[in-house]
Amino acid sequence: MARRPTIKDIARRAGVSESAVSFALNDRPGVSRDTRARIRGVAEELGWQPNSAARALSGERSGAVGLVLARPAQTLGVESFFLQLVSGIQEVLSAGRVALLFQVVDGIDAECAVLRRWWAERRVDGVLVVDPRTDDPRPELLAGLGLPAVMIGGTGVTGPLSSVWADDARAMAQVLDHLYELGHRRITHIAGLPGLAHTARRIASLRAEADARGLGPDQVRSVVTDYSDTEGAAATRRVLAEPAPPTALVYDNDVMAVAGVSVAAELGIAVPGRISVVAWDDSALCRVTHPRLTALVRDTAGFGRLAAEELLAVLGGGPPRAREGERPRLEPRESSAPPPAAY
């Protein structure tokens, strides 16, 4: 394995002292303009890069930001949302030569422990925080540590934390509008993880929109899952076996929606002839499934870019603020249609 070039290597090649190299590479006085240029030329020729750990210990920035996901690992492997989100984040960070330190953990306590360790070790200059909770310990923790952060999915400024957010309530209203206008009066929402703020917002919006149309909890309701295809399929099987099953199902992600369509096919229940299906996040899965799935479309990579841009702005001294991402729009496809007359 090739050895990384050091300041000593640069000094030897440039014919100067190590202290002169340090002055030149750190923009400090003590060397002439010509010597500084020669040293930097040699450093570039050798492929030298500053040691981020050493820079952090000296009080300089680490050149990295962090992202911790407290989600079951099996759900991340099949869900396209986080892949698109991270690709957008990376696009912005790469352009700014900022690294992304990424870790998956099994719960919020483990995530808080990682954040504390990163702060103590000066591993990151700031963090992106996903999946806001209804009772979330992270804003207070980050404020106490003084670690700059942006909350992805919050609805406003949380103490000193900026946030980027999408209007989940309005998106759910679009979905219910679409299904109600088609004639559906029995609708079940196969929701994601309980305790997440956006799950609570979607459930609350569905209930409010149903109440406004005179539809009670026995007609329109939500069932929570863990976002996985396994739980999505199990929830679908349960609700379709009820004495008065729904005529429409709304899934909180594309993976559960596809799993639900498979269950319906297994049970001989036609989509959309007997049951309509709507997916929360559009993806290639929604577009290649037969029938193609009605879905909420949004620029998830763009949402990631917005979050990364906001974190860089905070690191640059900008004030905390809330920024709204592109509003999701419903794209009707073949999986939604009027319910059969018998229902």
Side-chain angles (χ1 to χ4, degrees):
M1 183 178 295
R3 185 175 62 84
R4 291 179 179 177
T6 65
I7 285 180
K8 182 179 292 186
D9 296 325
I10 298 170
R12 186 181 303 112
R13 177 75 64 87
V16 297
S17 67
E18 293 179 31
S19 60
V21 173
S22 178
F23 291 153
L25 296 180
N26 289 288
D27 281 327
R28 294 173 182 166
V31 293
S32 68
R33 180 181 302 177
D34 290 344
T35 300
R36 187 186 307 275
R38 186 171 81 257
I39 290 171
R40 289 186 171 179
V42 169
E44 184 174 352
E45 179 185 334
L46 293 176
W48 179 87
Q49 292 292 330
N51 184 307
S52 59
R55 293 179 65 180
L57 289 172
S58 69
E60 297 183 52
R61 286 189 177 180
S62 68
V65 300
L67 172 62
V68 186
L69 288 181
R71 284 281 189 96
Q74 67 269 24
T75 67
L76 296 175
V78 295
E79 193 174 6
S80 64
F81 173 83
F82 280 110
L83 179 61
Q84 295 177 49
L85 183 75
V86 171
S87 71
I89 291 170
Q90 280 284 62
E91 185 178 337
V92 170
L93 297 182
S94 296
R97 300 186 70 182
V98 176
L100 178 65
L101 187 58
F102 178 76
Q103 189 163 342
V104 178
V105 296
D106 59 7
I108 192 70
D109 291 340
E111 179 178 350
C112 289
V114 170
L115 294 174
R116 290 190 188 95
R117 186 175 74 251
W118 282 353
W119 171 80
E121 295 174 354
R122 300 182 183 179
R123 298 284 298 278
V124 296
D125 300 318
V127 292
L128 294 160
V129 182
V130 296
D131 287 341
R133 266 64 173 177
T134 50
D135 184 16
D136 202 323
R138 294 171 298 176
E140 183 177 354
L141 169 65
L142 292 165
L145 296 176
L147 185 59
V150 171
M151 186 76 74
I152 300 177
T155 56
V157 176
T158 307
L161 305 188
S162 289
S163 71
V164 295
W165 62 285
D167 197 338
D168 290 303
R170 183 171 297 189
M172 183 60 85
Q174 288 184 60
V175 171
L176 198 60
D177 275 343
H178 172 68
L179 294 173
Y180 188 85
E181 289 171 4
L182 287 173
H184 293 277
R185 299 297 181 266
R186 295 204 306 274
I187 302 166
T188 297
H189 169 214
I190 309 297
L193 285 162
L196 296 186
H198 66 260
T199 301
R201 286 196 300 269
R202 294 175 189 181
I203 291 173
S205 176
L206 181 71
R207 184 72 261 142
E209 295 295 330
D211 289 343
R213 293 164 175 79
L215 303 176
D218 58 329
Q219 296 171 285
V220 177
R221 62 186 175 125
S222 298
V223 177
V224 295
T225 69
D226 67 354
Y227 282 114
S228 71
D229 56 329
T230 302
E231 285 208 15
T236 302
R237 196 178 301 278
R238 287 195 303 272
V239 300
L240 291 182
E242 294 172 349
T247 62
L249 295 171
V250 180
Y251 294 88
D252 259 3
N253 69 8
D254 54 342
V255 174
M256 292 197 297
V258 172
V261 170
S262 295
V263 168
E266 177 189 331
L267 298 175
I269 298 173
V271 177
R274 162 63 183 81
I275 187 114
S276 287
V277 170
V278 178
W280 192 269
D281 280 314
D282 189 31
S283 73
L285 283 177
C286 296
R287 297 188 292 274
V288 301
T289 298
H290 180 74
R292 295 189 309 150
L293 301 186
T294 295
L296 280 162
V297 178
R298 61 174 169 176
D299 183 4
T300 303
F303 199 51
R305 288 192 294 272
L306 182 66
E309 288 167 359
E310 184 58 24
L311 182 55
L312 294 182
V314 170
L315 293 175
R321 56 183 176 174
R323 299 178 66 184
E324 183 180 359
E326 178 186 63
R327 291 183 176 177
R329 59 178 177 81
L330 188 69
E331 183 166 324
R333 298 191 182 111
E334 293 90 347
S335 69
S336 57
Y343 293 88

